[in-house]
Amino acid sequence: MPAALIAELRAVVGDAGVLTGDEVAARYPGYFMDRIGADAIIRPRSTDEVAAVLRLCSAAGQPVVVQGGMSGWVRATETRGGEIALSLERMAAIEAIDPVNRTATVQAGVILDTLETALMDYGLTFPLDLGGRGSCQLGGNASTNAGGMRVIRYGMMREQVLGVEAVLADGRIISSLNQMIKNNTGYDLKQLFIGSEGTLGVITRLVLRLRERPSSSNTAIVCAASFDQMVNLLRFVDQSFGGLLSAFELIDNSFYRVNTGAGKHAPPLTADQPYYAIIEMLGSHQERDTELFETVLGEAGERGYFDDAVLARSVAQRQQIWEIREDLEHVVREFQPFYAFDVSLPVGDMQDYIAAVTAMLKGRWPDGKIAFLGHMGDGNLHIAIGAGGEGDRHGVEACVYEPLRPINGSISAEHGIGLEKKPWLDVSRSEGERGLMAEIKRLLDPGNILNPGKIMDLRP
């Protein structure tokens, strides 16, 4: 990278805003997913500084990879020699919380959990909830269209964003900080940047939709012998809770066994059932909602929609149940080499899909390990696999992705594409769709400097 460009960037963001050499590698020692090979990390403090940085990089043809909290799973923020990383960590201000209109205006570097903590005094919540809540940044959540545990009730990140400010590759600032739920005035430009993984522009500020903070919580874990029971249970509780169902998380026997037992999490239920589910209902009146929760689950049990259940009677018990779902330490250690996938498909196809993936994997690697879990309520399965060896990645991926073709499933439910899933994009996007995506990329980033090579390779 030219020293002259580094000097120009340093003049924009200051000495503290430029990291080079050993400072770059030291930022992410032993990072588990994205390789950090950037020549420099540039850390602007404002939208104007981001714009100035991109103007310089555009003029120099300098590739730029935007980095948030670095909690992604698809190598969307991986950097290589000759690239610079643009970190928004110093743009971490919560600029405004408006309790009347229930919005928050934030800079892109705000940590998800930091915003949630700040909202407690207002009786409000930003309902996006995922495992990386303590490190992921809101700009990254938007650029990847993050999902999480409460999508069934509140929707993806796309549904939580009212307005976006973004900087294009040439340094133009597009400020569309809409604060209204309804604004039907032509193209919804913010949607270009939400889910685009930093390939079309750099999100610098957001207006987020807030909700009233639930004041009651009820959680249970159930088990069942058949997938049909789970399907019936999901429909029944969703209908009976009257809009209060906030999570319905599927866990298969393999994942449950890996995460519970001696030296691990205490098993609330026996480990001999094929399927488990964590059900959560968030409401506004603890006593009344607990009565409804228990009544509905009692009726569901009588109807045979599950075989056994444990209801959390305290905050500690609720946390213990959720830890079984959220703790990935044991599966990452025991499933080697470890592969993680997230796919989306109709709930009605899940049972056959699980069987097909398992059969393909075991047919090639009989000793391979596989576990399924995920947000069943919104059609999202996460898959953990330990199989094969060096050079077998494509074969393992084929076991997961090929069965999605005939059912029009998606290779990514919430993690995005990055580099990890790029070779399989044709499973979920037609040739016409991919061509239009490339045209949009060329229009907004003709020099191909923003996160080049991620999602797709531009044809000459």
Side-chain angles (χ1 to χ4, degrees):
M1 182 176 177
L5 180 57
I6 287 286
E8 290 180 301
L9 294 172
R10 195 181 301 274
V12 171
V13 300
D15 290 340
V18 178
L19 303 179
T20 58
D22 293 340
E23 294 174 310
V24 174
R27 292 296 302 279
Y28 308 105
Y31 193 69
F32 83 103
M33 184 59 67
D34 291 4
R35 188 169 64 87
I36 311 301
D39 289 351
I41 298 176
I42 308 301
R43 305 187 299 157
R45 293 162 294 190
S46 68
T47 299
D48 287 341
E49 288 190 1
V50 172
V53 167
L54 290 185
R55 281 194 294 270
L56 289 170
C57 291
S58 179
Q62 173 61 52
V64 178
V65 177
V66 188
Q67 292 183 343
M70 301 292 287
S71 57
W73 284 75
V74 295
R75 297 164 58 209
T77 56
E78 181 170 298
T79 53
R80 294 159 286 195
E83 297 178 335
I84 67 169
L86 184 68
S87 171
L88 301 182
E89 64 195 75
R90 296 206 294 173
M91 295 180 60
I94 299 174
E95 296 181 352
I97 295 174
D98 183 345
V100 174
N101 295 304
R102 291 184 290 190
T103 65
T105 303
V106 301
Q107 292 183 323
V110 173
I111 301 295
L112 173 59
D113 204 39
T114 300
L115 174 63
E116 187 64 10
T117 299
L119 293 174
M120 294 181 68
D121 291 340
Y122 296 87
L124 296 170
T125 183
F126 182 65
L128 184 74
D129 187 34
L130 55 154
R133 63 183 72 86
S135 60
C136 63
Q137 296 175 9
L138 290 162
N141 295 148
S143 70
T144 58
N145 189 29
M149 265 72 77
R150 297 178 181 173
V151 170
I152 188 173
R153 179 165 175 180
Y154 297 104
M156 300 279 284
M157 184 70 175
R158 194 178 297 279
E159 283 73 50
Q160 316 304 324
V161 178
L162 298 177
V164 159
E165 178 181 82
V167 182
L168 301 184
D170 60 7
R172 279 181 292 165
I173 299 172
I174 305 299
S175 189
S176 184
L177 293 174
N178 168 70
Q179 299 190 24
M180 298 166 288
I181 296 174
K182 290 186 173 182
N183 184 356
N184 197 16
T185 51
Y187 304 141
D188 190 358
L189 296 178
K190 69 175 181 290
Q191 302 296 355
L192 284 171
F193 306 105
I194 300 174
S196 65
E197 300 178 40
T199 62
L200 301 181
V202 178
I203 295 174
T204 53
R205 297 164 70 208
L206 306 104
V207 179
L208 303 174
R209 182 183 182 186
L210 307 179
R211 311 298 177 102
E212 297 298 324
R213 179 175 290 275
S215 55
S216 75
S217 173
N218 285 278
T219 305
I221 183 169
V222 305
C223 61
S226 74
F227 197 84
D228 285 342
Q229 287 174 282
M230 287 293 178
V231 172
N232 291 330
L233 178 61
L234 170 59
R235 289 198 61 191
F236 182 74
V237 296
D238 197 11
Q239 176 191 47
S240 302
F241 287 167
L244 299 182
L245 178 64
S246 298
F248 193 101
E249 296 290 300
L250 179 73
I251 302 171
D252 78 346
N253 179 269
S254 180
F255 189 84
Y256 188 82
R257 283 179 175 273
V258 167
N259 254 14
T260 59
K264 302 176 183 179
H265 300 287
L269 296 166
T270 59
D272 56 358
Q273 291 294 315
Y275 302 104
Y276 300 80
I278 297 174
I279 303 169
E280 186 158 276
M281 185 182 86
L282 301 177
S284 60
H285 189 286
Q286 189 65 57
E287 183 177 352
R288 181 187 62 210
D289 293 340
T290 298
E291 182 179 357
L292 173 63
F293 190 74
E294 294 178 352
T295 298
V296 169
L297 287 184
E299 185 173 346
E302 292 174 359
R303 293 183 178 211
Y305 294 160
F306 61 83
D307 297 320
D308 199 2
V310 171
L311 279 61
R313 297 301 184 186
S314 66
V315 172
Q317 288 181 348
R318 175 183 181 272
Q319 292 174 340
Q320 289 167 2
I321 288 174
W322 274 110
E323 284 173 354
I324 295 172
R325 163 64 178 82
E326 293 191 321
D327 186 1
L328 299 178
E329 175 186 352
H330 303 293
V331 71
V332 170
R333 185 172 62 244
E334 295 184 22
F335 283 31
Q336 288 294 324
F338 178 72
Y339 299 93
F341 302 90
D342 82 300
V343 300
S344 184
L345 65 156
V347 173
D349 291 319
M350 279 189 178
Q351 184 175 12
D352 290 343
Y353 172 77
I354 290 172
V357 173
T358 303
M360 287 181 66
L361 187 82
K362 292 290 188 178
R364 185 163 181 179
W365 297 284
D367 295 329
K369 297 179 180 180
I370 185 168
F372 295 84
L373 67 156
H375 321 303
M376 180 179 172
D378 49 74
N380 179 183
L381 281 179
H382 294 291
I383 308 167
I385 291 177
E390 186 176 353
D392 286 328
R393 171 175 288 277
H394 185 82
V396 173
E397 290 174 344
C399 294
V400 173
Y401 296 140
E402 289 296 346
L404 291 170
R405 290 188 190 273
I407 59 176
N408 296 316
S410 172
I411 62 171
S412 180
E414 58 185 4
H415 288 173
I417 301 299
L419 292 174
E420 194 81 12
K421 300 188 179 189
K422 186 172 70 172
W424 298 96
L425 189 57
D426 70 300
V427 172
S428 304
R429 292 291 192 179
S430 68
E431 183 178 358
E433 287 177 307
R434 300 195 307 275
L436 183 57
M437 289 165 65
E439 288 182 39
I440 295 171
K441 169 69 170 173
R442 289 193 188 93
L443 176 65
L444 296 183
D445 181 18
N448 192 27
I449 69 166
L450 291 178
N451 221 356
K454 309 297 169 53
I455 300 182
M456 59 188 161
D457 290 315
L458 289 186
R459 296 187 295 271

